Amino acid sequence: MSVVAEIRELRKTPKGERRKNKDNKAGHLFLLPWTVGLFGITLFPMAASLYLAFTDYNLLQSPNWIGLDNITRMIGDDRLHNSIQVTFTYVFVGVPIQLVVSLAIAMLLDRGMRALPFYRSVFYLPSMLGASVAIAVLWRQIFGHSGLINQVLAMVGIEGRGWVSSPDTALATLIILHVWTFGAPMVIFLAGLRQIPDMYYEAASIDGASRFKQFFTITIPLLTPIIFFNLVLQLIGAFQNFTQAFVVSGGTGGPADSTLFYTLYLYQQGFNRFDMGYASAMAWLLVLIISAITVVNFWLSKYWVHYDD
Amino acid sequence: MRSVSDKERRVKATIKHIVMVLASLVMIYPLLWMLVSSLRPNDLIFREPGILLTTLEFSNYVQGWNALSHPFSHFLWNSAIVVFGSILANLVSCSMAAYAFARLDFRFKKPMFALMLLTIMLPVHVVIIPQYILFSNLGWVNTFLPLIVPKMLATDAFFIFLMIQFIRGIPKDLDEAARIDGAGHIRIFLQIILPLMIPALATTTIFTFMWTWNDLFSQLIFLTSPDMYTVPLALSAFIDSTGESNWGAMFAMSIVSILPLFLIFLFGQRFLIKGMATTGIK
């Protein structure tokens, strides 16, 4: 059962029956490290960052309460708006394409196919390495002026350009990088496809349903919980991407702020300029955006996700 | 009739294999090309899109290894310390928490469980600034402590979840029997549950390795002096200092940096893919 399913479960189950002998002492003992972490490393810092969001703080002087100034500053901050736009483009173009590709490949890699473990590994490998600096470095070269892409294009007589150094195409190269790492959702789709009983397809074949029709009447409906799960996870993950944009642009988010991801801008404000108050306000806006999208996702899921129960 | 459909099926399977082989090639071509380029003289990298090696040049590796203020082994070692510490911390703290959630009944279990699930989805950005201030006040910035101590406190809740799922699959009769024999929770946990959850521990180990080895964001924030640099920091410092001029050395060190990941991938694939499929961690 996935995290998403677990959260659904949590919402709908009534209070369970209570055992008489509770393991209060043992339970809290085993949970001690986690509890300390929850308060010390998560909840307390969250409260602190909420407070800092209403202050001006540069680490040297003590925080200075400025009320809603950070928020008005955010409203007027063009670079911030741009970073939101860049991030939304990246997320809402990259994630759907990646999911479609991963489902398509998972469908091709169906049961009984020879060499399946080999293909699965090959397709999974990039998603394992994709988050590394090494791959970002590689991307920077591949899509650079004298990079691999332009060398290939030159062979067919097309003159390339500096894909990562042009504001029109730099973000697209990062989206391609994201799509390339489709192995993770693919593996989850494969597991989901495997759970669809063969007899559904056999029955449909006997009724004369085409492959095409079988896909839309059997595969997709039965796969909706997995699609939903992948969607929620990939959206949350994609919003937080940082490494590739940082490395490809040398930490600037350039050219012309075209790869200034939200997290990169937050990093710049917080850890280059030590504008901790403003960066905290930005962090909270990110949480609000991600939560809102996740909540809307859960709400919409009622209309298209089919669970067996 | 039958032989025709057999033949048709074989043709279809062949076509599919051709498509898959081509797709696989596209997928790993950039990686192969990087490997080959790391063994080429620099000027050839800018002219050669193919992956056939005509000359074998190890100077990129020698050069890259010594390009920064420390030999590259220094950064590998730093990364190894952080990774090893993180793995140990995650294994201990997350398995304890998972045992509590999966097997014990206690006050506030439900709200705590809900909080645990929510922290899985919480962006790190909302805690990183106060954490930085906290660790900086403790004098921990530019040490490995900020990277390891949170893990000792089970903040990687994903793994708690993964282990809970696994423990739920272990028959309860086993610990009930041990309990009747007079074993306490600590013994049940150490002697019955832990040995049985080795696959989940292996998955945790592999994913912790992967994420920590690749993690640039928090290492960038907490490690400031080149002396403490880990592999991701060294690579990105490399690109700043040599820029576009020395791709060969850049690629050579990139290959060195992903080699451990690749080995983990080879050995741990089974756990990786199973862990992915059951819990969907990335």
Side-chain angles (χ1 to χ4, degrees):
Chain A
M1 197 157 53
S2 69
V3 185
V4 169
E6 197 82 33
I7 288 172
R8 257 184 84 242
E9 199 69 19
L10 209 61
R11 273 195 322 189
K12 72 177 189 192
T13 45
K15 284 195 173 172
E17 74 277 21
R18 289 268 158 91
R19 273 234 309 268
K20 284 233 176 70
N21 311 327
K22 286 207 192 175
D23 320 298
N24 270 328
K25 232 170 109 185
H28 292 136
L29 180 76
F30 274 95
L31 265 186
L32 190 63
W34 177 82
T35 313
V36 172
L38 177 73
F39 287 98
I41 306 281
T42 307
L43 293 181
F44 171 70
M46 277 176 79
S49 102
L50 188 59
Y51 165 73
L52 286 178
F54 298 99
T55 65
D56 189 5
Y57 182 45
N58 60 5
L59 279 186
L60 301 172
Q61 282 121 10
S62 53
N64 177 22
W65 185 266
I66 53 167
L68 299 177
D69 281 7
N70 281 331
I71 293 159
T72 36
R73 190 175 145 197
M74 282 162 84
I75 294 169
D77 182 349
D78 288 338
R79 285 194 85 200
L80 180 86
H81 304 162
N82 175 59
S83 76
I84 292 175
Q85 202 191 334
V86 166
T87 308
F88 272 58
T89 310
Y90 175 79
V91 171
F92 291 112
V93 175
V95 170
I97 296 179
Q98 194 206 40
L99 288 183
V100 169
V101 171
S102 60
L103 178 58
I105 299 283
M107 294 282 303
L108 283 171
L109 288 174
D110 59 8
R111 279 163 281 200
M113 182 177 193
R114 234 181 279 167
L116 183 133
F118 171 76
Y119 291 130
R120 195 182 50 194
S121 304
V122 169
F123 291 128
Y124 184 68
L125 186 62
S127 79
M128 186 173 168
L129 305 177
S132 64
V133 171
I135 296 301
V137 165
L138 173 67
W139 232 246
R140 198 170 143 144
Q141 204 288 340
I142 286 184
F143 287 97
H145 234 301
S146 41
L148 180 61
I149 294 286
N150 285 347
Q151 291 166 17
V152 174
L153 288 177
M155 281 170 24
V156 290
I158 300 172
E159 199 187 333
R161 55 203 286 185
W163 305 95
V164 285
S165 54
S166 153
D168 300 331
T169 50
L171 182 58
T173 65
L174 291 175
I175 291 176
I176 293 171
L177 175 52
H178 183 73
V179 173
W180 185 60
T181 60
F182 68 76
M186 177 200 72
V187 169
I188 301 174
F189 276 135
L190 270 172
L193 287 170
R194 202 152 288 183
Q195 275 164 10
I196 301 176
D198 263 334
M199 60 179 196
Y200 289 2
Y201 294 107
E202 282 157 15
S205 296
I206 291 165
D207 289 347
S210 66
R211 275 295 186 85
F212 190 72
K213 198 165 175 202
Q214 288 178 25
F215 176 72
F216 284 104
T217 54
I218 300 172
T219 313
I220 290 289
L222 287 174
L223 216 53
T224 48
I226 312 277
I227 298 173
F228 174 57
F229 173 63
N230 267 335
L231 184 68
V232 168
L233 252 109
Q234 293 298 324
L235 284 176
I236 293 174
F239 265 107
Q240 300 177 56
N241 265 1
F242 172 80
T243 304
Q244 292 105 339
F246 181 87
V247 174
V248 167
S249 70
T252 63
D257 282 353
S258 62
T259 61
L260 186 68
F261 283 18
Y262 193 86
T263 52
L264 183 51
Y265 189 47
L266 192 155
Y267 171 82
Q268 289 180 357
Q269 292 293 337
F271 297 94
N272 288 345
R273 307 185 44 188
F274 291 101
D275 203 340
M276 295 289 187
Y278 192 58
S280 297
M282 280 187 67
W284 272 97
L285 179 62
L286 180 67
V287 170
L288 290 179
I289 291 173
I290 293 179
S291 314
I293 285 171
T294 308
V295 167
V296 168
N297 234 328
F298 268 90
W299 179 72
L300 282 176
S301 75
K302 283 190 296 200
Y303 301 101
W304 66 275
V305 178
H306 309 286
Y307 290 96
D308 289 341
D309 45 72
Chain B
M1 194 64 195
R2 160 157 279 195
S3 66
V4 172
S5 76
D6 264 1
K7 200 173 165 190
E8 214 171 82
R9 205 174 302 148
R10 227 174 304 141
V11 171
K12 264 188 184 164
T14 312
I15 292 172
K16 207 156 94 181
H17 273 292
I18 293 171
V19 171
M20 290 325 264
V21 168
L22 286 178
S24 309
L25 208 65
V26 171
M27 287 297 283
I28 54 167
Y29 198 87
L31 296 171
L32 290 176
W33 183 81
M34 174 161 73
L35 177 65
V36 169
S37 295
S38 74
L39 296 164
R40 271 179 180 151
N42 251 316
D43 54 330
L44 215 56
I45 294 175
F46 298 105
R47 283 190 281 123
E48 190 49 81
I51 50 171
L52 281 177
L53 266 177
T54 44
T55 53
L56 205 58
E57 181 99 13
F58 286 102
S59 62
N60 287 328
Y61 283 83
V62 179
Q63 221 183 60
W65 198 271
N66 300 307
L68 295 170
S69 59
H70 298 271
F72 209 77
S73 49
H74 183 83
F75 310 120
L76 287 168
W77 181 244
N78 282 348
S79 269
I81 296 171
V82 174
V83 166
F84 182 77
S86 302
I87 289 173
L88 200 67
N90 268 344
L91 288 180
V92 173
S93 66
C94 295
S95 63
M96 283 172 65
Y99 178 74
F101 280 128
R103 281 298 205 254
L104 302 175
D105 191 20
F106 48 88
R107 248 162 83 89
F108 307 124
K109 177 171 166 172
K110 241 185 155 176
M112 283 169 130
F113 185 66
L115 274 172
M116 191 274 295
L117 288 179
L118 287 178
T119 57
I120 292 177
M121 300 201 224
L122 190 75
V124 62
H125 310 86
V126 78
V127 291
I128 195 83
I129 288 165
Q131 278 184 10
Y132 178 81
I133 297 165
L134 174 73
F135 293 142
S136 146
N137 285 333
L138 291 171
W140 287 4
V141 167
N142 211 23
T143 72
F144 298 139
L145 290 172
L147 302 171
I148 297 172
V149 170
K151 292 186 168 120
M152 287 166 68
L153 302 174
T155 44
D156 277 354
F158 246 133
F159 299 121
I160 303 180
F161 183 72
L162 180 134
M163 293 182 197
I164 290 174
Q165 301 291 75
F166 196 87
I167 295 175
R168 280 179 183 165
I170 297 173
K172 259 201 167 131
D173 308 357
L174 285 174
D175 23 330
E176 300 276 331
R179 198 187 297 224
I180 290 166
D181 287 347
H185 286 298
I186 293 175
R187 273 190 66 183
I188 294 174
F189 171 64
L190 290 176
Q191 295 187 347
I192 295 175
I193 300 294
L194 266 189
L196 287 173
M197 63 190 280
I198 283 175
L201 300 178
T203 308
T204 301
T205 302
I206 292 165
F207 275 102
T208 306
F209 191 107
M210 246 170 79
W211 290 349
T212 314
W213 191 266
N214 278 340
D215 172 37
L216 177 70
F217 188 68
S218 41
Q219 294 172 16
L220 194 62
I221 287 169
F222 290 118
L223 303 177
T224 47
S225 90
D227 204 42
M228 301 303 284
Y229 274 7
T230 48
V231 169
L233 293 174
L235 269 182
S236 81
F238 202 139
I239 204 172
D240 285 342
S241 60
T242 55
E244 319 274 307
S245 58
N246 199 350
W247 285 110
M250 205 59 241
F251 285 160
M253 291 308 103
S254 296
I255 294 288
V256 169
S257 82
I258 58 177
L259 202 64
L261 284 178
F262 189 71
L263 291 177
I264 280 277
F265 173 71
L266 282 186
F267 291 116
Q269 237 200 90
R270 194 160 59 93
F271 296 112
L272 259 171
I273 286 180
K274 220 171 156 205
M276 278 278 326
T278 49
T279 56
I281 56 183
K282 199 175 136 187

